[in-house]
Structures are given as C-alpha cells and as structure tokens.
Amino acid sequence: MLKAVYLSLGSNVGDREANLRAAIADLAVLGEVAKISSFYETEPVEVTNQPWFLNCAVKLHTEKMPRQLLAALLGIERQHGRNRSKERTKGPRTIDLDILLFGNSVIETKELTIPHPAMHQRRFVLEPMVEIAPEMRHPMLKRTIRELLNALPSGQQSVRKSP
C-alpha cells in the first residue's frame, strides 16, 4: 500500500542544485516522486557560520515503512558523500534528507521522530511545503502547513530560486 510521505532536502556544499536534483532522481527508486517544490536559497539556522543552503520539499508515494525509508534516505546521503558521523551537527553538508511527515503517522523512537520535531519552526521547510501541500495538517499540532508558515515570526531569510 502506497503512503504519502513529505521530505525536506537541503544542500550547502558543492553544486547545491545538482546535489538536490541528483537526490530527487535517486528517490525514484523508493517510490513515485509525486511533487517537487521550487528551490529556495535559505540562510543557515542554528549554526550560522556556513554557506547558505538550497532547499526544497518533495512528496513521495512509497511502499516503504518509516524505518525502511529512513535507512534508504541515509543510504542516498552516503552515496552523495555525506558522512553524518564525521560532520559537525547542523554543519555544512552535500545533501540532507529529512522525513517531515509520513501520512498522519506519529512516531517517536530513538532513531526516528515523525513529524519532524522542528519543522513547524523552520521557514526553509514550511515555504517549500506550502507549495506542494498547503492544506496538509500537522498530525500533532492540528494546523495546516499554511497556518504554521503564517505563524512564524519574521527572520530566517528565504528566497525562491526556481519553479
């Protein structure tokens, strides 16, 4: 049975756009890439002394279960040169693939939390998500993606780069 999953993709090392496009192409082996947002140039959050990111959101229809999907996404990251064990947390990275929403599931384990615990606080996640799923409801906060974006305080610069 296919599930609708929403992912956040980001890159701030190397050819950021090529990194995102290659990762999106690789997602096709996990299911059907149903929607892709525009790319957004965004300032780094938390660790600010690093290059700006290019981010987007993707809707994926997949038969994978959450842990299987996470393992596959980590594999794609490794394939693209990301080494999570050697890099500084929240530091520069060739590619970052995060599961934002997995249908209406709520999952809290040591290795996986869905919905993504900080998605409602991040403009670089919500702006692309509004393009592809504005009325999708956060399963815990019970608010739409559009409502979450509208509730953000000013700050966190983000510029739409491509359709």
Side-chain angles (χ1 to χ4, degrees), residues 24-123:
I24 291 166
D26 290 343
L27 291 174
V29 303
L30 306 179
E32 176 202 349
V33 176
K35 291 184 181 180
I36 305 168
S37 75
S38 299
F39 291 176
Y40 289 78
E41 182 133 26
T42 61
E43 69 177 324
V45 176
E46 293 178 43
V47 178
T48 57
N49 185 21
Q50 62 179 317
W52 280 43
F53 282 84
L54 204 58
N55 293 95
C56 70
V58 169
K59 180 181 184 181
L60 178 72
H61 291 133
T62 186
E63 291 185 355
K64 300 262 186 225
M65 296 305 291
R67 284 191 181 98
Q68 294 173 315
L69 180 62
L70 176 62
L73 294 176
L74 293 173
I76 291 171
E77 287 183 348
R78 280 190 302 277
Q79 207 177 299
H80 290 276
R82 180 154 187 205
N83 186 339
R84 283 181 177 254
S85 63
K86 289 190 177 176
E87 70 188 25
R88 192 172 82 199
T89 304
K90 309 237 188 270
R93 55 211 106 144
T94 53
I95 196 71
D96 184 33
L97 305 173
D98 288 329
I99 302 171
L100 300 174
L101 298 169
F102 198 100
N104 288 319
S105 297
V106 175
I107 300 166
E108 287 190 50
T109 67
K110 185 179 158 202
E111 60 275 339
L112 182 60
T113 302
I114 299 174
H116 189 286
M119 71 176 280
H120 63 286
Q121 302 167 326
R122 295 179 170 169
R123 186 171 304 280

